[in-house]
Structures are given as structure tokens and as C-alpha cells.
Amino acid sequence: KEFATPSIPSSVAGNVAIPSRLGNCEVSAIGDWAFRYCDKVTSVSIPEGVISIGESAFEGCSSLQAVTFPSSMIALGNFSFYNCSSLKCVLFKDDVILLGSYAFCGCTSLESITFAGNEPAVGNYAFYICNNLNKVNITDLSAWCKISFYNTLRHSHFECKNTLCSILLYFV
């Protein structure tokens, strides 16, 4: 069954733990616009079993600092973390398949992204205006060659786990 996701009141604050169940239903997705503009949320705990985050789900959560995705996560919608200006680090524990367009656009404090599994297909401008992004941990550099980091990377270090490469990029 598919259920409509209610919008969470913008007064929600602090650490938010998404439950793994609501009544008799397992939580498998965070819907479109669910936490949009909840600017007092500082962290989100996403349980195993959640496979997707909808469009603009955390857009404008300007106090959100860190997100760790469960290994069950496979897709982030367009604009899912758009303008989360305090977000500093992102960890994907396993294979994520898709990062939507503008997924982390405007995350001006974002410093590092780690993909423990295979790299996803990445939409346009997923990391646009991530001015402090300086470390991306990936397993296969060739999968990232077509991703635009326009107006993003400055003095950045890419680490490749399963290949023999370590690339230091300097953009002035």
C-alpha cells in the first residue's frame, strides 16, 4: 500500500529519529516535502528498511548537520537536501543507485561525502554550490568523470578505494 506522507510541522527541532514502523506498516520511504523547511532539525536518524527519500524532503533544513543513510537506501529524489546549509558530512553505507538532480545543491558547509558501496547515477547539479566540499571517498573514479562539480570543489582530495589512485585537485 502507498500512503500520503504528511508534512512535519516546521517547529520540529533537534535530533529526529524516523521510526521503522508506524502502526502495522513498515516505513520504507520518506515522502516528498516531509521535513521541508524544518530549520531547527539538527540530525536525522534514518532506520534500515528505508529505501528512498522523496523530492525536497529535507529542503531548507538549515540546521541539519549530518546524515548517515542506512544500507537499504537506494534513491534520493531531486532537491532532497537542497539548501541544507549546515550539512557537513554525508555517509552512504552501501550501494545507492540514484542521487537526484540538485540533491545536495546549496549545501555550503558540506565537507565530505563517502560512498562505501558502488557510486550511484548522479543527476545534474547534485553538488552545485557545495563550496566547502573537499573530500569525496569513492571506489571508482571513472564513474565520477561525468559529474559536474561546477562552483564546488576547491583544494579537494578524491580517494579511490579499489583502484590505485589518489587525486588532489586544486581550483583557484
Side-chain angles (χ1 to χ4, degrees), residues 10-12 35-42 60-64:
S10 62
S11 61
V12 169
F35 288 88
R36 190 174 187 206
Y37 300 121
C38 290
D39 61 355
K40 294 173 187 69
V41 171
T42 56
C61 291
S62 58
S63 297
L64 184 62

Side-chain angles (χ1 to χ4, degrees), residues 8-9 22 33 53 88-89 97 111 124 154 158 170 172:
I8 307 301
L22 287 174
W33 310 292
I53 294 178
K88 291 183 180 179
C89 61
I97 296 171
E111 296 173 356
N124 293 329
R154 199 169 281 144
F158 282 78
Y170 289 94
V172 186

Side-chain angles (χ1 to χ4, degrees), residues 6-149:
S7 289
I8 307 301
S10 62
S11 61
V12 169
N15 301 325
V16 173
I18 309 282
S20 59
R21 299 185 72 78
L22 287 174
N24 293 329
C25 298
E26 288 185 15
V27 174
S28 61
I30 298 171
D32 297 348
W33 310 292
F35 288 88
R36 190 174 187 206
Y37 300 121
C38 290
D39 61 355
K40 294 173 187 69
V41 171
T42 56
S43 69
V44 176
S45 176
I46 302 170
E48 284 298 329
V50 173
I51 61 170
S52 67
I53 294 178
E55 185 171 318
S56 297
F58 292 95
E59 178 182 342
C61 291
S62 58
S63 297
L64 184 62
Q65 295 176 14
V67 177
T68 300
F69 297 95
S71 57
S72 57
M73 183 63 60
I74 59 171
L76 299 182
N78 297 336
F79 300 94
S80 49
F81 289 88
Y82 183 80
N83 279 339
C84 290
S85 56
S86 296
L87 188 61
K88 291 183 180 179
C89 61
V90 173
L91 170 63
F92 290 96
K93 292 181 179 177
D94 213 336
D95 295 347
V96 63
I97 296 171
L98 173 68
L99 293 182
S101 295
Y102 299 91
F104 294 99
C105 175
C107 294
T108 55
S109 297
L110 186 61
E111 296 173 356
S112 70
I113 301 168
T114 299
F115 291 93
N118 292 321
E119 290 73 40
V122 177
N124 293 329
Y125 303 105
F127 301 104
Y128 184 63
I129 313 175
C130 293
N131 305 56
N132 287 306
L133 182 60
N134 60 41
K135 192 168 189 177
V136 180
N137 294 306
I138 59 177
T139 56
D140 180 10
L141 184 63
S142 64
W144 285 78
C145 288
K146 61 184 179 221
I147 297 172
S148 171
F149 287 99

